[in-house]
Amino acid sequence: MSIWEAVAVLVAGIGAGAINTIVGSGTLITFPVLLATGLPPITANVSNALGLVPGSISGAIGYRAELRGQDRRALVLGLTALTGGLGGAILLLALPSEAFGTIVPVLIGLALVLVLLQPRLARAVRRRRENNGTTGRPHGGPVLLVGLLLASGYGGYFGAAQGVLYLSLMGLFLDEDLQRVNAVKNILRAVVNGIAACFFVFVAEFDWTAVLLIAVGSALGGQIGAKVGRRLPPTALRAVIVAVGVIAIAQLLLR
């Protein structure tokens, strides 16, 4: 990896850590940058998953004030996320690399659709609660747990827009302020990235240089994201995610 490639990976890590803390989809930044350095798709994905662990932890720490009073909820949802994340990590290595190269562009495309539809989904959730006069269960109920299990399986497999999935699901089933939901989302991301990383360390190939650069960058980005989360214009953030995602799809299809 050249010095300029290393700088690009570090900067991508900072951006991914910040975006993951605020919304999610940071993988749409780091993954294509790692591919551009010449890493194979699965090696890039594993290195990315390992490197983003410090960023997830950093973001969760940055949102610690919003986590107060949610210890039991974070524990219940975190155990669900852990199970799904491990399943997704196993699936990544069980499927042939050709299958990964075929599936990932589709996953990124779906992730971008979710990013674009997020405001409409949020409004629909609010209207539904207002019309029904209901409030969410403390832990969201079995439907939320199943949804989080599947979303975490996807997160352990690839993870782009994983945070958007979490926010959509918890926003639908939890009667909480968005910032408090976002705080729990950061915990779930940390759990999924952490369990996937523990699994990958022993069974998968990864690039230590890429891992360390993303780890340093995402840890810094997590703190930045926690501080500026509410100030960043949502429209601008979605535009960046969509632009990077389109580049990622193009890179994968042209390889």
Side-chain angles (χ1 to χ4, degrees), residues 197-242:
C198 290
F199 178 75
F200 290 148
V201 162
F202 295 102
V203 300
E205 294 184 4
F206 51 89
D207 186 294
W208 269 117
T209 301
V211 171
L212 292 174
L213 288 169
I214 293 178
V216 172
S218 66
L220 293 172
Q223 289 299 302
I224 295 171
K227 291 180 179 179
V228 305
R230 290 182 176 176
R231 301 177 184 176
L232 190 63
T235 302
L237 177 59
R238 290 190 195 92
V240 171
I241 294 173
V242 170

Side-chain angles (χ1 to χ4, degrees), residues 14-24 54-67 179 182-183 185-186 217-232:
I14 295 173
I19 289 178
N20 280 341
T21 301
I22 298 167
V23 177
S56 300
I57 296 173
S58 176
I61 292 173
Y63 267 83
R64 61 189 178 278
E66 287 78 9
L67 284 170
Q179 288 298 324
N182 200 28
K185 178 265 297 180
N186 287 327
S218 66
L220 293 172
Q223 289 299 302
I224 295 171
K227 291 180 179 179
V228 305
R230 290 182 176 176
R231 301 177 184 176
L232 190 63

Side-chain angles (χ1 to χ4, degrees), residues 135-216:
T135 58
R137 301 180 184 182
H139 303 131
V143 177
L144 175 60
L145 295 179
V146 172
L148 290 180
L149 183 70
L150 295 175
S152 299
Y154 165 69
Y157 183 80
F158 184 55
Q162 174 191 358
V164 176
L165 289 172
Y166 285 153
L167 288 173
S168 299
L169 288 168
M170 290 189 290
L172 182 61
F173 294 104
L174 296 178
D175 186 18
E176 279 289 0
D177 174 81
L178 179 59
Q179 288 298 324
R180 284 172 61 80
V181 170
N182 200 28
V184 176
K185 178 265 297 180
N186 287 327
I187 289 289
L188 300 185
R189 283 192 58 87
V191 168
V192 171
N193 286 345
I195 190 63
C198 290
F199 178 75
F200 290 148
V201 162
F202 295 102
V203 300
E205 294 184 4
F206 51 89
D207 186 294
W208 269 117
T209 301
V211 171
L212 292 174
L213 288 169
I214 293 178
V216 172

Side-chain angles (χ1 to χ4, degrees), residues 25 27-28 31 100-118 154 158-161 164-165 241-250 252-253:
S25 307
T27 293
L28 295 179
F31 186 65
F100 181 79
T102 302
I103 292 170
V104 168
V106 178
L107 293 180
I108 294 177
L110 292 175
L112 296 180
V113 171
L114 287 173
V115 170
L116 291 172
L117 291 180
Q118 187 183 5
Y154 165 69
F158 184 55
V164 176
L165 289 172
I241 294 173
V242 170
V244 174
V246 170
I247 293 172
I249 293 172
L252 286 168
L253 294 177

